[in-house]
């Protein structure tokens, strides 16, 4: 559509006004020689293209107006087939220009002798007048283009604002709401049309828009509490003033996020990036000092490490310490539990996916943890639970230092150190063809075996004291230590859940204890019951060592008797024992356990 065609309605009104006053007909032509407006008999031809238009072509090319006193006899008309027979009597054709560009013509036309006389008698004044009308039409065209451009920009801006996950609300200089994006609709539970144009001071009085309007200063990450139509919202807000070059504040734009979601994200970031060094690992026993010394040696390289140990021994703590002491300790440390999600989700989590890889795949695809952890460390917990299919993909990563996204064919180079951990015997899994032997050898370049708590009893008092002080401070209590009976029971206890169970036991005791010393009554029931049965250190009543399977069986039964055999009880028991929910279900089935 030509520039004049966009303002054809305005052009028609101008043409009709001129024709009414001057008693001559008016025609407006665009650069395609199409009539966009006309009066008299020409009106019925609006929208059609001129068959010849020699005069209009001349004006469009030269940019100069022209007065044809005798239509059909002017030198421009000589090449026209209607020379001497033109149905026009006379005409004044004037260019319509926008800037330096001619965008069309406006013509005063005489179809009879009376109109011809009008043009001839007043030609100079009519040329000046028609020039002003051409400027008017030109300004309308420019105005329309500016308006269209602003509408496009406004629509683009609105689309961008609506695509943001955060709530975006903007107000003008008077505090009236001008923008309210889709995320805001979701959080506030209302539609945009119900809130736009409303006074923010009345409907959202606790949002500090007026404060920023008056002071001209914004702020970042301030907590605000809002009650809106029965909803109580706790948000984290950031408000910025909108200023002109002169400094005048003409509005405020604010972004808001749900405080709980922000807090959760902060906790996840803190957890994922927690810095642990070898000095943070508590223990003075010989097995612990030996494994720490070995781990410190292997940390300096970038080799793959396999950490083996029972649940709760602190495999991830060692992995973080190795990462921190390594050459890329300042880079990301990303932990993935291979038993916590099904194969397809784990594959996406590790390797990412390309756009269109599956139904619901987001535009542009998604990076996996191997890409996000570039230059850092990937910790693969419970590696023995990884499927054979994903084992093959992981082996390729270790060998080729590259990954392929789900749905992709391109190999993406990744420089990531892999630390794997398992609480199962991978060699046994290899013998059963559940785990690839080549992957096992690739992973176990440097094996580290973390000793269970029961073989380093001298560390138990130190761990008890360390966590007793931590939880006492966190819970605001003045616990000084353990009495002799409680301490001896903890030292003799088998600790099937290892350090993780010890941490839980101390937290449990601190919560229950009301005196300055922790007593037997404040310890978890599983520990007290184990002491009563005489199996504190895995010894039977006749003084013989209890088989490991029997110890595991007894520990699970004790935990389930304490917390219950319901789904919730099994989940809590698994947490105490330092194993996953899926693992405790497998153990119950394996040992054929049932409530007494």
């Amino acid at each position: 559509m030509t520039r004049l065609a966009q303002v054809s309605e305005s052009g028609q009104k101008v043409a009709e006004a001129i024709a009414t006053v001057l008693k001559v007909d008016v025609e407006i032509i665009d650069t395609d020689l199409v009539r966009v407006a006309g009066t008299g008999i020409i009106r019925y031809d609006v929208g059609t293209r001129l068959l010849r238009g020699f005069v209009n072509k001349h004006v469009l090319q030269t940019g100069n107006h022209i007065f044809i006193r005798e239509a059909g006899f002017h030198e421009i008309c000589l090449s026209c087939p209607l020379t001497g027979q033109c149905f026009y009597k006379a005409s004044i054709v004037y260019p319509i220009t926008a800037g330096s560009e001619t965008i069309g013509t406006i013509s005063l036309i005489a179809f009879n002798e009376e109109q011809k006389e009008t043009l001839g008698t007043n030609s100079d004044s009519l040329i000046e007048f028609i020039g002003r009308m051409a400027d008017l039409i030109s300004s309308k065209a420019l105005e329309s283009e500016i308006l269209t451009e602003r509408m496009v920009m406004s629509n683009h801006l609105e689309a961008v604002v609506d695509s943001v996950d955060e709530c975006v609300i903007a107000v003008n200089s008077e505090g009236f709401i001008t923008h309210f994006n889709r995320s805001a609709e979701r959080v506030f539970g209302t539609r945009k049309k119900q809130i736009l144009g409303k006074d923010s001071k009345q409907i959202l009085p606790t949002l500090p828009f007026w404060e920023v309007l008056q002071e001209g200063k914004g702020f970042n990450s301030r907590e605000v509490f809002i009650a809106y139509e029965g909803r109580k919202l706790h948000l984290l807000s950031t408000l910025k003033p909108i200023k002109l070059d002169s400094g005048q504040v003409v509005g405020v734009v604010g972004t808001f996020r749900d405080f709980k979601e922000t807090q959760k994200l902060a906790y996840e970031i803190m957890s994922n990036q927690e810095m642990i060094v070898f000095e943070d690992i508590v223990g003075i026993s010989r097995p612990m000092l030996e494994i720490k010394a070995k781990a410190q040696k292997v940390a300096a390289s970038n080799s793959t490490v396999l950490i083996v140990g029972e649940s709760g021994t602190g495999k991830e703590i060692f992995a973080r310490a190795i990462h921190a002491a390594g050459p890329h300790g300042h880079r990301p440390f990303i932990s993935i539990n291979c038993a916590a999600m099904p194969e397809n989700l784990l594959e996406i989590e590790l390797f990412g996916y390309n756009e269109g890889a599956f139904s619901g795949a987001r535009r542009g695809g998604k990076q996996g943890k191997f890409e996000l952890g570039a230059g850092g460390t990937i910790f693969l917990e419970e590696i023995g639970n990884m499927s054979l299919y994903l084992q093959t993909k992981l082996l390729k990563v270790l060998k080729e230092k590259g990954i392929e996204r789900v749905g992709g064919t391109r190999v993406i180079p990744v420089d990531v150190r892999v630390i794997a951990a398992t609480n199962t015997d991978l060699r046994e899994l290899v013998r059963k063809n559940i785990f690839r032997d080549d992957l096992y050898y690739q992973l176990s370049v440097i094996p580290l075996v973390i000793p269970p708590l029961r073989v380093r009893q001298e560390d138990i008092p130190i761990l008890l004291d360390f966590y007793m002080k931590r939880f006492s401070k966190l819970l605001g209590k003045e616990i000084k230590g353990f009495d002799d009976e409680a301490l001896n029971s903890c030292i003799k206890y088998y600790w099937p859940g290892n350090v993780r169970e010890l941490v839980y036991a101390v937290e449990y005791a601190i919560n229950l204890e009301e005196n300055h010393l922790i007593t037997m009554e404040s310890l978890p029931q599983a520990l007290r019951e184990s002491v009563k049965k005489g199996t504190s250190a895995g010894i039977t009543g006749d003084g013989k060592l209890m088989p490991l399977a029997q110890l595991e069986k007894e520990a699970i039964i004790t935990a389930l008797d304490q917390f219950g055999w319901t789904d919730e009880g099994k989940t809590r028991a698994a947490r105490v024992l330092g194993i996953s929910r899926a693992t405790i279900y497998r153990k119950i089935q394996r040992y054929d356990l049932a409530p007494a």
Side-chain angles (χ1 to χ4, degrees), residues 275-278 299 318-330 333 377:
M275 182 64 73
I276 294 177
V277 295
F278 285 107
F318 268 88
R320 289 183 181 274
I322 291 170
H323 166 73
H328 305 298
H330 61 290
F333 176 92
T377 300

Side-chain angles (χ1 to χ4, degrees), residues 248-280:
Q248 179 185 353
V249 178
V250 294
V252 177
V253 62
T255 59
F256 305 85
R257 297 188 66 177
D258 183 89
F259 187 83
K260 290 183 179 179
E261 292 180 3
T262 304
Q263 192 177 47
K264 180 181 177 182
L265 178 61
Y267 287 163
E268 289 177 354
I269 293 173
M270 290 170 61
S271 173
N272 288 339
Q273 298 302 325
E274 181 182 1
M275 182 64 73
I276 294 177
V277 295
F278 285 107
E279 289 74 15
D280 296 326

Side-chain angles (χ1 to χ4, degrees), residues 14-26:
V14 170
E16 289 174 355
I18 296 172
T20 301
V21 173
L22 300 181
K23 307 301 182 183
V24 295
D25 288 314
V26 181

Side-chain angles (χ1 to χ4, degrees), residues 324-355:
H328 305 298
H330 61 290
R331 303 299 300 231
F333 176 92
I334 298 177
S335 177
I336 298 289
N337 190 322
C338 299
M341 57 187 77
E343 177 186 276
N344 58 336
L345 292 182
L346 181 59
E347 181 181 18
I348 289 171
E349 194 71 14
L350 289 174
F351 304 104
Y353 60 80
N354 278 348
E355 180 178 336

Side-chain angles (χ1 to χ4, degrees), residues 27-253:
E27 184 179 60
I28 300 176
I29 306 296
D30 67 11
T31 50
D32 291 336
L33 296 181
V34 174
R35 294 183 178 92
V36 297
T39 64
I41 61 173
I42 305 172
R43 183 168 188 173
Y44 301 103
D45 294 323
V46 170
T48 62
R49 192 175 187 277
L50 295 181
L51 296 177
R52 290 164 288 274
F54 289 92
V55 177
N56 288 280
K57 289 178 182 177
H58 175 81
V59 173
L60 287 171
Q61 290 171 358
T62 63
N64 298 319
H65 70 272
I66 192 168
F67 178 27
I68 306 294
R69 292 181 180 275
E70 293 290 336
F73 297 95
H74 192 278
E75 59 180 342
I76 298 174
C77 304
L78 297 180
S79 56
C80 178
L82 298 179
T83 299
Q85 301 177 12
C86 185
F87 54 88
Y88 288 177
K89 297 296 182 179
S91 63
I92 297 174
V93 184
Y94 204 99
I96 302 173
T97 58
S100 59
E101 181 183 357
T102 302
I103 62 174
T105 65
I106 179 170
S107 306
L108 300 181
I109 301 171
F111 285 104
N112 54 47
E113 292 299 326
E114 183 179 351
Q115 291 176 332
K116 179 179 178 182
E117 183 177 352
T118 299
L119 294 185
T121 305
N122 306 293
S123 60
D124 290 339
S125 59
L126 289 178
I127 289 172
E128 182 179 355
F129 175 79
I130 200 65
R132 292 180 180 179
M133 294 300 101
D135 291 341
L136 175 62
I137 296 170
S138 172
S139 66
K140 289 289 184 180
L142 291 172
E143 180 181 318
S144 174
E145 290 168 4
I146 293 172
L147 181 60
T148 300
E149 184 179 351
R150 287 180 178 176
M151 288 179 63
V152 170
M153 290 178 62
S154 176
N155 290 338
H156 283 175
L157 176 61
E158 188 170 351
V160 170
V161 170
D162 277 341
S163 68
V164 176
D165 288 333
E166 294 181 336
C167 302
V168 178
I169 305 174
V171 301
N172 61 16
S173 58
E174 297 176 353
F176 289 92
I177 297 172
T178 58
H179 288 83
F180 196 81
N181 74 342
R182 289 178 183 172
S183 293
E185 288 181 330
R186 173 178 52 82
V187 171
F188 285 80
T190 187
R191 303 297 296 174
K192 181 189 301 186
K193 62 182 180 182
Q194 295 175 329
I195 203 166
L196 286 181
K198 300 288 182 66
D199 189 345
S200 62
K201 288 184 293 184
Q202 293 182 1
I203 62 173
L204 299 171
T206 55
L207 292 184
F209 285 113
W210 196 248
E211 171 189 329
V212 178
L213 281 171
Q214 290 181 317
E215 298 179 3
K217 294 180 180 179
F219 56 80
N220 294 314
S221 303
R222 180 191 295 182
E223 286 185 65
V224 293
F225 297 86
I226 303 169
Y228 180 77
E229 293 187 351
R231 288 184 175 229
K232 294 182 179 179
L233 305 175
H234 183 188
L235 305 175
L236 199 65
S237 64
T238 295
L239 267 66
K240 300 293 182 184
I242 303 170
K243 296 182 178 181
L244 299 177
D245 292 340
S246 62
Q248 179 185 353
V249 178
V250 294
V252 177
V253 62

